[in-house]
Amino acid sequence: MDLLQLKYFRTVARLEHMTRAAEELMIAQPALSQTISRLEDELGVLLFDRLGRRIRLNLFGQAFLVRVERIFAELEQAQAELADLAGGNRGEVVLALGAATHLIPDLLSDYRQQHPQISFRLFQQRVTTMVQQLEQGAFDFCITAPPLHKPGIASIPLLTEEIALALPPAHRLEKRKRIRLSEVAGEAFLSLKAGHGLRDLTDAYCLQAGFTPQIAFESDDPSTLRGLIRAGQGIAFVPTISWRGSLGPSVVQVQIEEPRCERTIGLAWLEQRYLSVAAEQFRTFIKEYFARLSQAE
């Protein structure tokens, strides 16, 4: 067993498609198939179920993939640690985003003005997937709302912000400065899909107000949701700081006075993961960046 075999297995496991994996790896498909077969022979189990021309990672493959991801995570950490020891001034930060995506371009732009030699890899995922991959060492940091609280994961709050209600122009409540959430029980809502932190939190607030929201449109992408809000397709919950400036002048935002609606954004990292000098510097910067946002509110 060698690292090349593991690299090939990792790619096939991710794509579950031999032809696409061969194209991505830039090798011939028969050579890739033979490598996977030799790996299975060495392990003594099949890692994939063959369904005609399709393949699917089976239980053996899923268990093996967890260990393989840890191997590559350890190698990446070793490279980062050696680069720090060698005194290099370059580095990479791997960041997963589950919240505050609207803020990230400006945040990274500000950071790279001070540290132009640092590069970033960004991932946008749901929290459940993000936690699994964080535990496997795939990321340096995750930004989530609410903050993660789990053994082995360190977490700090970055920002607590109010959640308001966005209304289209000429809405019956647009002249109000604050409302009770129960007053919009029958309205058509625009929302992220279930499983997103903001959706789960606001669904809970609706239940607290005595109703289940009627979802007219839902999306996995916060930017698509913001576009629907700007287009006046319904009402929506909007975080007042992290979404600031993204909705346009025609959208009316009304404060919710009952129940009080807010969320906390947090930064998380794996306690046992080696953090490079670049990652440590970025953690300090992001804490200060969000502290400035809070003070400006």
Side-chain angles (χ1 to χ4, degrees):
M1 191 183 305
D2 57 39
L3 284 176
L4 189 62
Q5 284 179 306
L6 299 183
K7 176 185 176 182
Y8 287 180
F9 163 74
R10 189 187 190 197
T11 303
V12 176
R14 173 168 52 85
L15 297 175
E16 293 190 319
H17 196 286
M18 199 67 73
T19 300
R20 288 204 296 268
E23 291 172 352
E24 182 173 312
L25 293 165
M26 293 187 290
I27 63 171
Q29 182 178 327
L32 177 59
S33 298
Q34 290 171 9
T35 300
I36 296 300
S37 295
R38 284 197 300 270
L39 179 61
E40 290 176 322
D41 289 342
E42 188 169 347
L43 293 170
V45 295
L46 294 178
L47 300 171
F48 297 91
D49 292 332
R50 274 72 172 177
L51 309 170
R53 294 186 176 181
R54 298 171 52 202
I55 60 172
R56 181 172 298 163
L57 197 66
N58 61 26
L59 289 176
F60 296 115
Q62 291 169 14
F64 188 58
L65 180 61
V66 170
R67 303 291 182 173
V68 169
E69 293 288 6
R70 289 180 186 173
I71 290 170
F72 281 99
E74 284 290 332
L75 289 172
E76 289 173 4
Q77 291 180 61
Q79 288 177 320
E81 187 171 358
L82 291 174
D84 288 344
L85 290 172
N89 62 353
R90 301 188 64 84
E92 179 184 71
V93 177
V94 186
L95 180 64
L97 307 173
T101 55
H102 177 63
L103 298 175
I104 296 303
D106 286 342
L107 185 155
L108 295 184
S109 176
D110 288 354
Y111 183 76
R112 295 195 77 250
Q113 285 181 10
Q114 302 176 31
H115 306 279
Q117 74 280 8
I118 304 301
S119 61
F120 285 84
R121 278 192 289 149
L122 304 178
F123 298 85
Q124 189 169 337
Q125 295 174 324
R126 294 192 181 193
V127 172
T128 51
T129 302
M130 195 182 301
V131 171
Q132 293 172 357
Q133 296 194 335
L134 178 63
E135 290 176 326
Q136 293 169 2
F139 313 124
D140 291 315
F141 301 109
C142 294
I143 298 177
T144 64
L148 299 180
H149 297 288
K150 193 172 182 182
I153 294 177
S155 179
I156 57 171
L158 294 173
L159 172 75
T160 296
E161 61 182 339
E162 184 179 359
I163 298 175
L165 204 61
L167 309 175
H171 189 276
R172 61 185 176 86
L173 298 172
E174 70 168 338
K175 302 299 184 183
R176 297 270 297 276
K177 292 192 175 181
R178 57 184 60 86
I179 64 168
R180 297 184 305 278
L181 189 54
S182 59
E183 294 181 69
V184 294
E187 298 271 353
F189 278 82
L190 311 173
S191 181
L192 294 170
K193 290 184 178 179
H196 287 269
L198 181 61
R199 168 65 180 274
D200 295 345
L201 181 62
T202 54
D203 278 359
Y205 284 135
C206 289
L207 289 176
Q208 189 176 340
F211 70 96
T212 300
Q214 299 178 17
I215 308 299
F217 291 93
E218 63 179 8
S219 173
D220 265 327
D221 181 12
S223 62
T224 300
L225 178 62
R226 289 190 283 265
L228 289 168
I229 296 170
R230 289 193 296 270
Q233 294 302 303
I235 67 174
F237 291 101
V238 292
T240 56
I241 299 178
S242 59
W243 284 27
R244 181 188 294 154
S246 65
L247 300 178
S250 64
V251 175
V252 179
Q253 293 190 40
V254 179
Q255 185 180 25
I256 303 168
E257 63 179 358
E258 183 185 326
R260 179 171 177 78
C261 297
E262 61 182 19
R263 73 167 182 174
T264 298
I265 297 171
L267 183 73
W269 62 94
L270 195 63
E271 289 180 341
Q272 298 302 316
R273 178 180 174 85
Y274 174 79
L275 291 180
S276 66
V277 171
E280 294 276 9
Q281 290 174 341
F282 180 71
R283 180 171 59 184
T284 299
F285 175 86
I286 198 171
K287 288 162 60 178
E288 294 172 350
Y289 184 90
F290 276 90
R292 290 195 298 271
L293 286 179
S294 297
Q295 292 167 3
E297 177 63 7

